[in-house]
C-alpha cells in the first residue's frame, strides 16, 4: 500500500461508513406500518354459496321466518301474536294470485318498511342478496304454501 493510500484509508472508511449510515437513516425514516392484531373474533369470510339452495331455503324459513309466518306459512308463528298487522298468511289464495315473485323477493330483501308494509317484517338483504338461488327457493317455498 502506498503512503498516500494508507493516509487516505481512514478517510475512505469514514466516507463509506457515512454513506452506509445515511442509507440506514433513510430506511429508518419511514417506520414500517404497525399491523395491529384484529380486535375481537376473526371476521369470517363470506360464506360459500349454498350447495343445496332448496335445503338452505327450508332451513332458513324454519330458523328465521316460521317464528312469525308459522311453520305452515299461515302467519300464525309464536311471534305473530303481538304483531299488528299480522304476518301474511301464505295460504291466502287471493294474496298468492295478486302478488308476484319479484315483489316477494323485494320485500324479503328490503323488509316491510321500505315497501309500505309493517316494519316488523325485517330485511334479509344482508343474508340473501348474495344468494339469489336460495332467494328463488324461498319464493318457491312461499308459493308452495298456497297449494
Ligand atoms: C318478526 C316477525 C317476522 C319475521 C321474522 C319475518 N316476517 Fe315476513 N312479515 C312479517 C309481517 C308482520 C308481515 C306483514 C307486513 C304487512 O302486511 O304490513 C310480513 C310480510 C312478509 C311478506 C310480504 C307479504 C305481502 O303482503 O306481500 C313476505 C314475502 C315475507 N314477510 C317473507 C318473510 C320471509 C321469507 C321471512 C324469513 C326469511 C320473514 N318474512 C320473516 C313479519 C315477519
Amino acid at each position: 500500500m502506498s503512503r498516500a493510500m494508507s493516509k487516505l484509508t481512514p478517510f475512505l472508511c469514514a466516507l463509506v461508513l457515512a454513506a452506509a449510515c445515511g442509507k440506514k437513516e433513510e430506511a429508518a425514516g419511514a417506520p414500517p406500518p404497525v399491523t395491529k392484531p384484529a380486535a375481537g373474533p376473526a371476521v369470517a369470510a363470506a360464506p360459500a354459496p349454498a350447495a343445496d339452495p332448496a335445503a338452505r331455503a327450508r332451513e332458513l324459513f324454519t330458523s328465521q321466518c316460521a317464528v312469525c309466518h308459522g311453520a305452515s306459512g299461515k302467519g300464525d308463528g309464536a311471534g305473530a301474536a303481538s304483531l299488528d298487522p299480522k304476518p301474511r298468511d301464505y295460504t291466502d289464495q287471493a294474496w298468492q294470485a295478486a302478488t308476484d315473485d319479484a315483489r316477494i323477493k323485494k320485500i324479503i330483501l328490503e323488509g316491510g318498511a321500505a315497501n309500505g308494509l309493517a316494519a316488523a317484517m325485517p330485511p334479509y338483504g344482508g343474508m340473501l342478496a348474495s344468494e339469489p338461488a336460495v332467494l328463488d327457493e324461498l319464493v318457491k317455498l312461499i308459493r308452495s304454501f298456497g297449494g
Side-chain angles (χ1 to χ4, degrees):
M1 207 183 270
S2 70
R3 268 188 75 197
M5 233 349 215
S6 60
K7 261 192 182 170
L8 258 173
T9 304
F11 177 69
L12 280 174
C13 284
L15 253 184
V16 168
L17 273 175
C21 279
K23 263 191 198 150
K24 246 190 188 168
E25 263 162 35
E26 239 172 64
V34 180
T35 42
K36 281 191 209 153
V43 177
D52 183 345
R56 174 78 181 120
R58 281 193 301 273
E59 174 190 301
L60 209 62
F61 188 83
T62 306
S63 67
Q64 307 283 325
C65 321
V67 62
C68 291
H69 288 276
S72 51
K74 289 196 169 134
D76 57 357
S82 61
L83 294 178
D84 182 22
K86 297 291 177 209
R88 176 65 58 187
D89 175 358
Y90 298 145
T91 66
D92 178 346
Q93 296 297 321
W95 172 75
Q96 287 281 357
T99 193
D100 58 65
D101 293 359
R103 177 158 170 83
I104 294 175
K105 281 186 195 176
K106 193 166 147 58
I107 293 167
I108 295 172
L109 290 175
E110 298 173 357
N115 289 283
L117 296 177
M121 169 58 204
Y124 290 93
M127 189 185 280
L128 288 168
S130 60
E131 295 263 41
V134 175
L135 187 58
D136 281 346
E137 292 297 333
L138 209 44
V139 171
K140 279 191 208 163
L141 189 62
I142 289 171
R143 290 309 205 176
S144 75
F145 290 124

